[in-house]
Amino acid sequence: MSDPADRPRLAAVIGWPIGHSLSPAIHRFWAEREGVNAYYVPLAVEPSYEAFARACDALAGLGFAGCNVTLPHKEDALAYAVRASRRAAAAGAANMLTFGPDGAEADNSDIPGFAQALREALGETAPGGKAVVLGAGGAARAVVLALAEAGYGPILVANRSPQKAAQVASLAAAGEAVPWSERAKVLSGAKALVNATSLGMAGAPPLDIALDALPDDAVVADLVYAPLETDLLRRARARGLAAADGLSMLMHQAAFGYRAWLGREAKVDGALRAALEAAIARRRRP
Ligand code: NAP
C-alpha cells in the first residue's frame, strides 16, 4: 500500500465566475518549480452563503489545506471562519481560508500583497503623504488598509456610489471620502494614486482621469491586470512616474496561500511574471 504521506497537497480558489482566475497558474508554477506534489483547483460556487459553506465543508472533509476566495464570496469567507486575522477582521473580508481540526481560519493577503507591490514600485522613494484611491469595492478596502499601515495620510477615497466611498474611507483614521467628480482635482500633491475600480479592464469602460496634477515623485498603481498595461499605467509611465500593475499585487497575495498550504518557496520573480504574461497572452488569442 502506498504511504498516505505521499498524497498530494490540495488547495482551491472559490469564486463566481472563476474561469478567468490566474491563481491556478501561479500555484502550479511554484509547485512545479519546487517539485511539490500539489493541486490547486478552481471552483465555481454560486453566489450564496449556503453554497459557499457547503463547498468549504466538502473541501475541509476531503483534506484540502485551504482555499483562496474571490468575488462574490469574500464576506462569506469571513462569516464562515471560526477565527480571523486582525487584518481580515479590519477589512470585513477575507481572501484566504485555512482549514484546521477545529474550523477555518480567515486571512486577507490582499492587504500585504498590495503593500509589497507598492514597495517594489517605489524602490528608494519613501512612502507616505497624501494618497487617492478610486473605487470602494472589496479591493479598495484592502488598499486603504495597506496605505494606512504604510503611513499614507490623508487617504482620499473617490467612488461612483458616495455611500460606499464613506464606508471604505472610514476604515482608516486618515480616510476621507471625496466626490467621484473631484477625482482629478484632488490629485494635486498626492504621492500615490490607486485604481481599485474595474474601469480600464478589457470589456469595461475606460478610466477617465487626467494625471497632470500628480507630482513627479508619485506612484500610480492599477489593480486591473487584464490588460496588464492599462491606459492609466501607460500614461503614468509616459510621465516618468513609478508604476505598479495588477499582476504584481496578484502574485504577492498568492504567496501567502502557497506557503500556508502547498509548499515553501513562493518567490515572486521574473520567471513567474513571464509565465503569467504568457498565460494572459494565450487567453487573448482568438
Ligand atoms: P467590486 O467589489 O465589484 O468593486 C468594483 C468597483 O468598481 C466599485 O468601486 C465600483 O463602483 C467601481 N465601478 C464599476 N463600474 C464603474 C463605472 N462604470 N464607473 C465608476 N466606477 C465603477 O470589485 P473588487 O473586487 O473591488 O475589484 C475591483 C478591481 O480590482 C477589479 O478590476 C479586480 O479585477 C481588481 N482586483 C485585482 C486584484 C489583484 O490582485 N490585482 C485583487 C482584487 C481585485 P460602485 O461602488 O459605484 O459600483
Side-chain angles (χ1 to χ4, degrees):
M1 215 167 77
S2 65
D3 177 0
D6 273 352
R7 65 175 187 255
R9 297 179 204 179
L10 301 170
V13 57
I14 296 181
W16 182 274
I18 200 62
H20 66 286
S21 174
L22 280 174
S23 297
I26 299 177
H27 289 269
R28 198 180 320 121
F29 178 90
W30 279 325
E32 281 173 8
R33 184 156 71 179
E34 236 194 336
V36 172
N37 183 14
Y39 292 91
Y40 182 96
V41 192
L43 295 175
V45 173
E46 66 189 55
S48 79
Y49 177 77
E50 289 68 31
F52 179 78
R54 257 196 320 273
C56 289
D57 289 348
L59 291 178
L62 287 167
F64 275 66
C67 63
N68 280 119
V69 181
T70 184
L71 272 177
H73 289 301
K74 289 187 180 181
E75 288 170 9
D76 295 335
L78 196 60
Y80 178 80
V82 293
R83 264 186 312 280
S85 66
R86 195 182 45 83
R87 59 194 179 205
N95 73 330
M96 272 181 75
L97 285 177
T98 299
F99 302 124
D102 60 341
E105 249 185 79
D107 196 4
N108 189 320
S109 67
D110 282 337
I111 300 168
F114 176 72
Q116 185 61 29
L118 204 61
R119 273 196 293 277
E120 238 175 47
L122 281 170
E124 297 298 306
T125 316
K130 173 169 144 184
V132 177
V133 178
L134 307 178
R141 289 176 164 265
V143 166
V144 165
L145 288 166
L147 288 169
E149 204 168 294
Y152 284 91
I155 302 170
L156 308 185
V157 180
N159 191 54
R160 179 179 59 175
S161 319
Q163 312 89 314
K164 278 170 71 185
Q167 270 169 20
V168 172
S170 73
L171 293 175
E176 204 181 301
V178 293
W180 179 243
S181 56
E182 300 283 295
R183 61 193 181 279
K185 255 188 237 158
V186 295
L187 292 184
S188 173
K191 294 300 178 77
L193 166 65
V194 185
N195 176 33
T197 72
S198 45
L199 295 174
M201 215 164 87
L207 172 62
D208 172 23
I209 187 165
L211 301 183
D212 308 342
L214 277 178
D216 291 341
D217 59 351
V219 59
V220 175
D222 200 336
L223 268 49
V224 168
Y225 54 82
L228 203 49
E229 180 78 342
T230 58
D231 175 61
L232 175 70
L233 291 182
R234 193 182 47 70
R235 287 186 292 121
R237 289 195 174 111
R239 262 210 52 195
L241 303 177
D245 66 22
L247 198 51
S248 186
M249 172 178 173
L250 192 74
M251 294 186 292
H252 284 294
Q253 65 76 28
F256 290 83
Y258 183 81
R259 289 192 201 107
W261 310 320
L262 300 180
R264 288 185 307 270
E265 262 306 305
K267 218 160 123 203
V268 173
D269 57 13
L272 173 63
R273 176 175 276 276
L276 295 173
E277 286 182 1
I280 293 172
R282 274 197 301 278
R283 282 180 187 184
R284 295 184 70 179
R285 247 175 252 149

